[in-house]
Amino acid sequence: MVIVGAMRITILSIAFVLALNHAARTTAREELWKAGLASVDITPTEPIWLAGYAARTHPSEGAVHPIYAKALALEDSRKNRLVIVTSDLLGFTRALSEPIARKLEQRFKLRRDQVLFTSSHTHTAPVVREYMVFAYGLTPEQEAAVERYSRMLEDRVVEVVRGALKDMAPARLSFGRGEAGFGVNRRVAGSKGYVIDVNDAGPVDHEVPVLRIEGKGGRLRGVIFSYACHNTTLTGEFYQVSGDYAGFAQVAFEKKHPGSRALFVLGCAGDTNPYPRSELKHAEAHGVELAEAVEKVLQGPMSPVSGDLRTALEYTMLSFAPPPAKEELEARLQEKDRGRQRHARRMLDMLQRDGRLPAQYPYPVHAAQFGKSLTLVALGGEVVVDYSLRLKKELSGNPLLLMAYANDVMAYIPSLRVLKEGGYEGGGSMIFYGRPGPWAEDVEELVVKKVHEVVRKLTMTNDK
Ligand SMILES: [Zn+2]
């Protein structure tokens, strides 16, 4: 009995020591991260044209709350870095993100693939450089205000990245997923094609992915969370600056966790609108619902994020469908529709200047691999929900944090289904984006192929 007892104790002790070792190893690895967070106010200081709705008639009138650019800087044990910049803006065009990236490379030695620019696509933030500027019909003074604001943004984003790098301290990362239900598909088949309305039966992605950043003693330092729904609760009649539902969600979360920072990134929200919409109280209610969904994820089990960090940013050339002929564009100048008129003028100017219209556009696919515990994929443009549903199935090996509206917002990115169906996201919006016409039919295959290529490369070089 005694011997058996002793053996049992020994076996239990070995098991205990093994468990302890395992815990120590896991903890040590998880704590090899360094993370830093910072935020900077980017609220405009003068009345300025607000982005996203062509029908607005005058510049902004004050703000509901401040809007921000924020940054999360991450570094693994081998000093591989990734900085994620988030913002309450309609989007970072490449005309904005590339000059900032160059400054970040000069000042902080951050390679281009180590910086990811994202925005919430709020429709109550200023127009920025080369984002549909021509489509609003601005006066030269108003255009000058847009450029002034864009320059201020460049400085503020450099400042916020500096702040995040300076804030770097040992951290633990974990990932989990929740859900929020206010996003609805907005493509409805009408008698004259697809229109924007409420389509309860259409595809949506209600997932709320959350990356949690903890400091010493498990102190919550911040979260990055995502949702795939347009920040368009506030419609074109609103002239006050705000972050829409995503702004309210960040405010609600930070209020509940003083000293922490909440960073929002937008998912494949191209064809999803919040519902109900058009009143400020709706934006606030959606924000609170989203913050509560994040809270619920934090209270549940989350999986540790460990391993080495690998990053890559690559481009795939997307082709446009054959453009309209010069005669057709000239005929459009006589049409009543101001949008079509302005677009035709722009195309004709391009034809005169360059002798042709662009046939392709370099489309950015950004990815980061966190060991075997998390894959981050960030796509450019206004990506529709079909990509989200497809990529989640096809990249099921690791948990996936998928975002869109990243690095450049050059157009909607329809799936083949949406492209063929037409409507605003299928090709109608290309007029406002100043593109020659819809994408060619291989758009979905080219984007998805590039995603697989980039992710495969990162996972192959990652042995941990
Ligand atoms: Zn949009």
Side-chain angles (χ1 to χ4, degrees):
M1 284 295 285
V2 172
I3 293 167
V4 172
M7 271 178 69
R8 272 179 64 186
I9 288 165
T10 311
I11 289 164
L12 277 175
S13 309
I14 291 168
F16 183 62
V17 168
L18 284 176
L20 265 184
N21 271 342
H22 179 72
R25 240 185 6 247
T26 315
T27 308
R29 263 175 61 175
E30 282 161 26
E31 283 183 349
L32 289 178
W33 288 107
K34 276 187 185 164
L37 291 135
S39 70
V40 63
D41 192 327
I42 54 167
T43 315
T45 51
E46 60 177 334
I48 185 167
W49 212 267
L50 296 183
Y53 295 113
R56 284 203 179 97
T57 55
H58 58 85
S60 63
E61 295 168 336
V64 173
H65 49 217
I67 55 171
Y68 295 96
K70 300 181 185 179
L72 166 65
L74 294 170
E75 189 181 278
D76 73 3
S77 61
R78 298 181 187 189
K79 300 209 179 305
N80 297 309
R81 295 190 286 177
L82 172 66
V83 177
I84 304 175
V85 175
T86 67
S87 63
D88 299 308
L89 290 173
L90 192 69
F92 276 97
T93 52
R94 64 178 173 182
L96 195 54
S97 56
E98 295 313 312
I100 300 175
R102 282 195 292 274
K103 284 184 191 169
L104 296 176
E105 184 147 26
Q106 284 162 7
R107 307 220 178 139
F108 312 120
K109 294 193 166 54
L110 284 163
R111 293 192 314 264
R112 181 64 191 86
D113 60 286
Q114 292 179 315
V115 189
L116 165 56
F117 298 94
T118 72
S119 51
S120 70
H121 200 52
T122 173
H123 282 45
T124 39
V127 175
V128 298
R129 186 185 300 149
E130 285 186 26
Y131 200 145
M132 293 186 179
V133 177
F134 82 95
Y136 301 111
L138 303 184
T139 63
E141 293 74 33
Q142 286 159 349
E143 281 201 25
V146 166
E147 184 50 30
R148 268 199 301 283
Y149 182 75
S150 301
R151 284 182 188 194
M152 185 275 277
L153 265 181
E154 284 188 25
D155 294 342
R156 295 277 161 93
V157 172
V158 171
E159 192 186 311
V160 82
V161 171
R162 183 197 309 277
L165 292 171
K166 237 175 120 182
D167 186 55
M168 289 231 274
R172 292 173 77 164
L173 306 179
S174 48
F175 182 74
R177 284 176 277 220
E179 222 179 74
F182 61 86
V184 289
N185 190 287
R186 68 181 201 183
R187 290 174 52 79
V188 176
S191 56
K192 290 182 190 163
Y194 277 79
V195 292
I196 293 182
D197 206 334
V198 175
N199 176 6
D200 281 324
V204 280
D205 177 1
H206 280 163
E207 202 172 76
V208 180
V210 181
L211 180 68
R212 169 194 188 128
I213 303 107
E214 269 174 62
K216 262 195 183 143
R219 182 178 65 89
L220 179 69
R221 292 179 63 202
V223 286
I224 279 206
F225 63 101
S226 178
Y227 194 52
C229 175
H230 256 71
N231 264 288
T232 46
T233 320
L234 303 175
T235 41
E237 310 83 66
F238 281 81
Y239 285 88
Q240 278 185 297
V241 170
S242 90
D244 205 283
Y245 78 76
F248 280 108
Q250 294 172 80
V251 168
F253 187 90
E254 290 179 357
K255 198 170 160 195
K256 175 133 197 207
H257 300 278
S260 78
R261 292 191 203 281
L263 282 69
F264 175 84
V265 290
L266 190 59
C268 298
D271 45 353
T272 303
N273 261 351
Y275 185 78
R277 60 195 286 244
S278 84
E279 287 185 46
L280 195 60
K281 67 176 186 194
H282 298 143
E284 185 162 15
H286 298 327
V288 168
E289 182 182 338
L290 185 53
E292 280 169 3
V294 174
E295 198 62 43
K296 213 168 151 191
V297 175
L298 296 188
Q299 281 160 13
M302 294 183 77
S303 45
V305 174
S306 58
D308 291 341
L309 177 64
R310 298 271 184 272
T311 50
L313 170 60
E314 292 189 9
Y315 294 82
T316 187
M317 294 305 287
L318 297 184
S319 300
F320 298 110
K326 193 176 172 199
E327 298 68 39
E328 149 98 41
L329 291 167
E330 278 163 350
R332 283 190 200 171
L333 290 177
Q334 311 308 320
E335 289 183 22
K336 277 194 183 144
D337 186 318
R338 301 273 298 272
R340 277 170 69 83
Q341 240 185 50
R342 281 177 189 143
H343 174 260
R345 181 76 272 152
R346 186 175 159 91
M347 293 301 107
L348 287 166
D349 289 349
M350 248 184 224
L351 270 176
Q352 190 162 15
R353 194 188 63 207
D354 307 331
R356 61 184 177 87
L357 294 175
Q360 290 187 311
Y361 194 95
Y363 178 80
V365 172
H366 206 157
Q369 185 64 38
F370 298 69
K372 283 185 176 168
S373 39
L374 183 67
T375 304
L376 181 160
V377 173
L379 304 173
E382 301 207 45
V383 183
V384 300
V385 68
D386 289 351
Y387 286 88
S388 184
L389 304 176
R390 177 171 174 185
L391 288 171
K392 279 177 187 174
K393 255 187 232 152
E394 294 182 6
L395 293 172
S396 56
N398 294 311
L400 179 66
L401 174 54
L402 178 62
M403 44 185 99
Y405 298 79
N407 295 304
D408 187 7
V409 186
M410 73 306 285
Y412 276 82
I413 304 297
S415 56
L416 181 59
R417 171 184 72 84
V418 171
L419 183 85
K420 282 185 165 170
E421 287 172 358
Y424 190 72
E425 301 87 355
S429 55
M430 289 303 230
I431 276 190
F432 302 104
Y433 271 105
R435 304 299 162 211
W439 295 111
E441 288 197 355
D442 55 0
V443 57
E444 178 176 343
E445 283 318 305
L446 287 174
V447 171
V448 169
K449 190 175 152 219
K450 183 49 90 177
V451 170
H452 282 292
E453 246 175 63
V454 174
V455 170
R456 201 176 311 125
K457 221 177 270 178
L458 291 179
T459 41
M460 272 170 64
T461 52
N462 206 319
D463 45 17
K464 281 198 173 176

